[in-house]
Amino acid sequence: MILEGLAKTTLLGVEMGMTLVLVTVGLTLIFGMMDVINFAHGSLYMLGAYFGLTLVSVTGNWWLALLAAPLLVGLLGGLIEYFTIRPLYGRNPLYHILLTFGFAILLHGLVTEIWGGQVQNIETPALLSGSVDLVLFSYPLFRVFLLCVSIAVTAALWVAIRRSDFGIVMRASAHDSEMVDALGTDVSRVFTAVFVLGSVLAGLAGVLLGTSQAVDPGMAASVIIQAFAIVVIGGLGSYRGAVVGAFVVGMLNAFGPTFAPQFTDALLYLLMAAVLLIKPAGLFGNPEGA
């Protein structure tokens, strides 16, 4: 029984961590590329969940929602970057913080006004209902799907950043945007593409977690707190740091309620403080990414 409980909790921690990667990677890519601390990132995640909720209720097709909701969030993210953030490049980062914080408040108010403040759920597709028998225990099939999707997206994004032409341009722009621009690449378009990519990942996480957990206006605040903690632990601008940090926080979220329920929330901040004291740049702190 003890082994079964440990194995199940560990799998839950891996699942939670890999899902948090989808949110955190977008946040760290945006910062690493553009030096923008995007406080509205959690609100984009929330919108992904609500767009998915609406699409499922209207069409009855969860798979369509999984595809369309992140794209809608990405479109909104692109518009936000193009019309509001782009004019502020080169200015004090405080401008970006205030602007994106304002968007977070605005989007929270709009969501509450349109969808209400009650807790809702996205219906799990019939194909992914039920559970699957593992060696020691049964586990919900949808959570296994969620874990597989998160791993696949994380791996594909890693390969794209390291191997694709666009990934090379991304890393070069983060290192020396003026030189890349002088060589004929429109860096502003690269920035927009990165912001859209981060928004799409946040929207995807919103649909997936909105199906496995719950959808409510408070989900934006809870996820952005964890996302920023992960970025600080892993290192600002580091892809590898975002993945490792999310994995660590996922394990804390899984094992904390079991072994230290009264300190579950405090554990995250204690870990973040310890990392900052020992290594202020984070575990893999590197503004060029890892």
Side-chain angles (χ1 to χ4, degrees), residues 12 101 105 107 121 130 137 148-149 159 163 188 191 225 265 287 289:
L12 176 62
F101 187 73
I105 296 174
L107 292 175
N121 293 95
F137 54 87
C148 292
V149 169
V159 172
R163 303 295 182 184
S188 62
F191 285 176
I225 291 173
D265 294 332

Side-chain angles (χ1 to χ4, degrees), residues 20-272:
L20 283 171
V21 169
L22 297 179
V23 181
T24 310
V25 160
L27 188 67
T28 201
L29 284 177
I30 290 170
F31 177 83
M33 279 286 300
M34 303 147 61
D35 287 332
V36 173
I37 300 176
N38 183 17
F39 272 93
H41 200 71
S43 298
L44 296 174
Y45 156 82
M46 173 184 65
L47 281 177
Y50 276 102
F51 286 162
L53 177 70
T54 300
L55 286 168
V56 170
S57 63
V58 171
T59 67
N61 190 329
W62 184 86
W63 300 99
L64 175 63
L66 182 65
L67 176 64
L71 295 179
L72 291 173
V73 175
L75 176 61
L76 177 61
L79 293 174
I80 290 174
E81 190 278 338
Y82 184 85
F83 288 105
T84 64
I85 295 177
R86 182 180 292 189
L88 300 180
Y89 290 142
R91 297 194 182 186
N92 190 304
L94 182 61
Y95 286 91
H96 302 139
I97 294 174
L98 293 175
L99 175 66
T100 57
F101 187 73
F103 270 114
I105 296 174
L106 174 63
L107 292 175
H108 181 276
L110 288 175
V111 163
T112 304
E113 185 68 25
I114 296 172
W115 283 281
Q118 69 275 19
V119 176
Q120 303 179 66
N121 293 95
I122 302 175
E123 185 177 354
T124 305
L127 183 63
L128 298 176
S129 60
S131 59
V132 58
D133 290 328
L134 301 178
V135 177
L136 297 174
F137 54 87
S138 295
Y139 204 71
L141 180 59
F142 182 82
R143 288 188 172 273
V144 175
F145 171 79
L146 192 158
L147 176 59
C148 292
V149 169
S150 301
I151 293 174
V153 171
T154 302
L157 189 58
W158 172 268
V159 172
I161 291 174
R162 304 302 299 183
R163 303 295 182 184
S164 71
D165 292 341
F166 181 71
I168 294 173
V169 172
M170 279 177 56
R171 288 184 286 122
S173 300
H175 179 69
D176 193 339
S177 60
E178 292 183 0
M179 178 61 71
V180 173
D181 201 45
L183 292 174
T185 299
D186 189 344
V187 174
S188 62
R189 291 187 178 182
V190 177
F191 285 176
T192 301
V194 171
F195 201 94
V196 169
L197 174 62
S199 302
V200 167
L201 292 174
L204 176 63
V207 177
L208 292 172
L209 284 178
T211 305
S212 65
Q213 299 177 9
V215 180
D216 69 273
M219 65 191 298
S222 61
V223 80
I224 197 63
I225 291 173
Q226 294 192 73
F228 275 121
I230 290 168
V231 169
V232 170
I233 292 168
L236 291 172
S238 171
Y239 186 95
R240 179 173 52 177
V243 175
V244 173
F247 182 81
V248 171
V249 172
M251 287 298 176
L252 280 179
N253 290 339
F255 282 96
T258 301
F259 294 99
Q262 66 272 35
F263 300 113
T264 300
D265 294 332
L267 287 175
L268 176 61
Y269 302 107
L270 289 174
L271 175 61
M272 185 169 61

